[in-house]
């Protein structure tokens, strides 16, 4: 049995698997950066314009909430296909790592923004009221009270989003997005190489575990401060 396992592992092209892993990490890292840059302000605006908040505005909140819900409820595979013309117009290609990042960002930003909103809602309302009573401006409330108070929760939200992006990045292989998903589809599915499929799934699971452990340690570290 062990001989069969070693024979199976020895027949794999590990250079392809290594390259695909690096491409997946590049997709997740690049899209996570833009997701946080876009999703954090969106989540803050959702919170501030919500009911009983400093900038409460029912119409703005309803529009933003509807947009977030629509994008979140769209299956990511469908979103990948629908966004092909937009991706090509934006960066000139819809394949490979560059072609996968725009749909990854558009798919993950609403998800992260909603997580940010939920984290901010956990802040004691007394903190906001005390800041207002001391004459703090809105930027001072956001950057001096809300974000520092919820920093561990925001780190947890980033971790959850990063793990979600791993699965999204794997799905981008459907349109030739590169990475482990593309490798699994081209060799594991289309060429019936079960060994490639098994290894790519194992690597994806390992990535998820590493991200979760690393994220949990960061949250724990900053929660003690």
């Amino acid at each position: 049995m062990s001989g069969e396992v070693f024979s199976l592992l020895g027949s794999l092209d590990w250079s392809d698997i290594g390259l695909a892993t690096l491409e997946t990490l590049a997709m997740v890292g690049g899209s996570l950066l833009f997701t946080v840059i876009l999703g954090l302000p969106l989540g803050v605006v959702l919170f501030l314009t919500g009911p009983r908040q400093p900038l409460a505005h029912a119409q703005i909140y309803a529009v933003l909430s509807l947009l977030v819900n629509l994008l979140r409820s769209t299956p990511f595979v469908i979103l990948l296909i629908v966004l092909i013309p937009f991706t090509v117009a934006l960066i000139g290609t819809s394949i490979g790592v560059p072609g996968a990042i725009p749909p990854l960002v558009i798919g993950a930003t609403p998800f992260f923004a909603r997580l940010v909103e939920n984290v901010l809602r956990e802040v004691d309302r007394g903190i906001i009221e005390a800041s207002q009573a001391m004459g703090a401006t809105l930027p001072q409330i956001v950057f001096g009270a809300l974000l520092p108070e919820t920093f561990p929760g925001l780190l947890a939200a980033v971790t959850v989003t990063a793990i979600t992006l791993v699965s999204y990045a794997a799905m981008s292989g459907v349109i030739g997005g590169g990475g482990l998903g593309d490798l699994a589809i081209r060799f594991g599915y289309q060429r019936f190489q079960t060994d490639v499929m098994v290894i790519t799934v194992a690597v994806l699971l390992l990535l998820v575990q590493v991200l979760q452990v690393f994220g949990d340690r960061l949250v724990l570290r900053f929660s003690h401060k």
Side-chain angles (χ1 to χ4, degrees), residues 121-164:
R121 282 182 176 178
E122 295 177 2
V123 175
D124 187 347
R125 185 166 178 78
I127 294 177
I128 299 176
E129 293 175 347
S131 299
Q132 290 174 323
M134 289 186 292
T137 62
L138 186 61
Q140 288 173 332
I141 293 174
V142 172
F143 294 104
L146 288 177
L147 296 184
E149 184 72 18
T150 59
F151 190 66
L154 293 174
L155 284 177
V158 171
T159 301
V160 172
T161 304
I163 291 172
T164 301

Side-chain angles (χ1 to χ4, degrees), residues 27 80 83 87 91 93-104 172 175 177:
M27 284 190 285
L80 280 170
L83 290 175
T87 304
I91 61 174
T93 182
S94 64
I95 61 176
V97 174
I101 289 180
L104 285 172
S172 70
I175 61 166

Side-chain angles (χ1 to χ4, degrees), residues 4-223:
E4 294 178 359
V5 172
F6 284 118
S7 176
L8 173 67
L9 296 177
S11 66
L12 293 171
D13 189 338
W14 290 99
S15 62
D16 281 349
I17 294 173
L19 178 60
T21 302
L22 291 177
E23 289 180 344
T24 297
L25 290 173
M27 284 190 285
V28 172
S31 57
L32 181 62
L33 174 63
F34 288 108
T35 295
V36 172
I37 290 174
L38 297 174
L40 182 60
L42 179 57
V44 171
V45 172
L46 278 169
F47 170 75
L48 293 176
T49 57
R52 299 179 58 217
Q53 301 305 335
L55 295 180
H57 195 293
Q59 287 76 20
I60 293 177
Y61 181 79
V63 171
L64 290 177
S65 186
L66 177 62
L67 178 63
V68 166
N69 288 339
L70 287 175
L71 289 174
R72 285 181 61 202
S73 61
T74 304
F76 185 67
V77 173
I78 303 299
L79 195 64
L80 280 170
I81 298 170
V82 169
L83 290 175
I84 287 177
F86 170 77
T87 304
V88 172
L90 182 65
I91 61 174
T93 182
S94 64
I95 61 176
V97 174
I101 289 180
L104 285 172
V105 173
I106 293 173
T109 295
F111 175 79
F112 180 65
R114 189 64 82 184
L115 290 179
V116 170
E117 180 193 8
N118 291 336
V119 169
L120 293 176
R121 282 182 176 178
E122 295 177 2
V123 175
D124 187 347
R125 185 166 178 78
I127 294 177
I128 299 176
E129 293 175 347
S131 299
Q132 290 174 323
M134 289 186 292
T137 62
L138 186 61
Q140 288 173 332
I141 293 174
V142 172
F143 294 104
L146 288 177
L147 296 184
E149 184 72 18
T150 59
F151 190 66
L154 293 174
L155 284 177
V158 171
T159 301
V160 172
T161 304
I163 291 172
T164 301
L165 281 169
V166 171
S167 64
Y168 282 4
M171 281 188 273
S172 70
V174 172
I175 61 166
L180 292 166
D182 181 59
L183 191 70
I185 290 173
R186 285 191 296 113
F187 293 93
Y189 176 70
Q190 295 178 349
R191 301 184 187 182
F192 303 101
Q193 293 181 236
T194 306
D195 52 351
V196 175
M197 183 72 77
V198 170
I199 294 300
T200 53
V201 170
V203 174
L204 287 170
L205 291 175
L206 179 61
L207 288 178
V208 168
Q209 291 301 313
V210 170
L211 286 171
Q212 187 67 66
V213 170
F214 181 70
D216 288 346
R217 288 186 177 180
L218 277 180
V219 171
L220 189 62
R221 177 182 176 184
F222 285 97
S223 294

